[in-house]
Amino acid sequence: MTQFVLQFLYLPLGLLLVIGWMVLAFWGGSVGGGGPDAADLADTLAGLSAAGISWRRLRVEWNGRPEEWERFTDELLRNRFAAAERTSGWRPAELPPSGVRRAVTGLERHHYRGLTPLRVEELAGRHDWSTDWAKSRAVQGQLHFYRLLPPPVPTGVPDPSGPPPEPGTPWGPMRCRVVLPLLTLVLRPGVRFLELRRSPNAYVRHLRKHLRKRFRAELARERSRNHYRFDGTGRVLRRVAVRARHYRGAGAATVLRVAAEQGWKLDHSFPTDPRHTVHLCLPDGGCHPGH
């Protein structure tokens, strides 16, 4: 109850302190004084948010009945699991060449205080998630969960060597705009000029140059476990994401065709999203078993 009442005082004050800290960070960076690190600011904001207590949690804490805690905790788990399945495990250092993604999330002790950790594990099992006990024991009170998710089944992906899709189809050319390219011409002059020109051939020339540069930079990266997940044969999957602004007037299928010229193909690990991003990959390295 004390925490609930006092948060209306200390949360606004904390927010003002964070804003002042951010101003100091920008001012310190502009004059070369350094200032607080961005990661420190993010941690502070996260800690400030966690310091609050909702009316519903106050009622659960006040009543203290296991059935109330179970409903409260199960809803939190359901929301966190859904968010983690969308956003977690996509980094190349976490995503193996097989595309089997390991989504992870956690739950702080004050969100399940009225339940035993084993009961929380049972609740997580209802949603097909497992408890990472090794990591949970390393962090006092916080439970960690994971779920292995197979790569999505690609649908409607055209053959890179086939005929180009028609305009208006998911993998075909998209409608070119005028207002947005003019407003953002200074920010991205290269791709905005392409959209204003509305020339598919100009997009193809741009893609060849852009992808060659991206592929060269990716292949030059060190093959370390800090950057990639290795498979059983020592192979990694080089990955490159291409945004829609680079192929809007030519279509996402053009990205597949230009990438295939350099040996790259569509990355099966990611959902197909030709209207926004095309993910490409190239197997790299590896050795025979036993070597």
Side-chain angles (χ1 to χ4, degrees):
M1 178 64 74
T2 303
Q3 181 182 358
F4 180 78
V5 173
L6 292 182
Q7 70 181 353
F8 297 102
L9 174 65
Y10 67 72
L11 286 180
L13 289 177
L15 183 60
L16 289 176
L17 288 175
V18 170
I19 293 174
W21 197 7
M22 293 175 65
V23 172
L24 178 63
F26 287 115
W27 180 81
S30 63
V31 300
D37 184 78
D40 293 336
L41 292 174
D43 291 342
T44 303
L45 286 173
L48 187 63
S49 175
I53 180 171
S54 66
W55 172 248
R56 184 180 179 191
R57 184 182 147 207
L58 174 65
R59 288 186 294 132
V60 172
E61 293 263 15
W62 192 266
N63 294 329
R65 290 194 294 268
E67 58 271 19
E68 294 287 337
W69 273 104
E70 188 167 310
R71 285 193 290 269
F72 174 76
T73 302
D74 187 62
E75 183 177 345
L76 273 177
L77 288 175
R78 183 169 59 251
N79 294 335
R80 295 196 181 190
F81 291 161
E85 289 175 12
R86 292 192 306 269
T87 62
S88 176
W90 293 113
R91 292 177 56 248
E94 303 168 346
L95 194 59
S98 65
V100 177
R101 182 165 56 97
R102 192 177 194 267
V104 296
T105 189
L107 188 69
E108 300 79 7
R109 181 171 54 187
H110 57 260
H111 285 140
Y112 68 90
R113 190 194 308 274
L115 302 173
T116 66
L118 291 177
R119 183 54 184 158
V120 180
E121 181 184 31
E122 293 175 0
L123 295 177
R126 294 179 182 177
H127 304 283
D128 298 323
W129 278 68
S130 302
T131 306
D132 188 343
W133 287 111
K135 189 173 183 181
S136 298
R137 293 188 181 97
V139 181
Q140 183 65 28
Q142 185 172 6
L143 294 179
H144 292 267
F145 309 94
Y146 70 92
R147 185 183 183 187
L148 299 179
L149 298 169
V153 178
T155 56
V157 180
D159 184 354
S161 60
E166 295 294 326
T169 58
W171 290 86
M174 290 180 274
R175 181 178 60 85
C176 291
R177 304 158 299 185
V178 176
V179 177
L180 181 62
L182 288 175
L183 292 176
T184 58
L185 189 61
V186 178
L187 301 176
R188 295 191 176 98
V191 293
R192 296 315 186 199
F193 270 124
L194 284 174
E195 190 167 355
L196 292 172
R197 288 180 61 186
R198 305 188 179 189
S199 170
N201 291 332
Y203 270 101
V204 172
R205 291 192 294 270
H206 165 75
L207 275 172
R208 285 200 173 99
K209 181 179 179 181
H210 176 71
L211 291 182
R212 190 180 304 113
K213 179 181 178 181
R214 294 288 305 280
F215 294 161
R216 188 183 301 117
E218 176 61 24
L219 292 172
R221 293 186 67 188
E222 180 186 0
R223 296 176 69 252
S224 70
R225 297 191 180 276
N226 293 330
H227 298 153
Y228 304 98
R229 280 284 301 278
F230 289 74
D231 65 9
T233 64
R235 184 187 66 166
V236 302
L237 207 59
R238 303 284 188 170
R239 290 183 164 102
V240 165
V242 186
R243 307 300 180 189
R245 59 179 177 265
H246 295 288
Y247 58 81
R248 185 176 185 87
T254 306
V255 180
L256 301 183
R257 178 165 59 85
V258 174
E261 297 172 355
Q262 303 183 51
W264 290 66
K265 62 181 181 179
L266 186 70
D267 191 344
H268 65 284
S269 306
F270 295 83
T272 54
D273 187 20
R275 289 295 182 182
H276 298 92
T277 306
V278 175
H279 294 272
L280 303 170
C281 69
L282 178 72
D284 184 27
C287 62
H288 295 291
H291 285 202

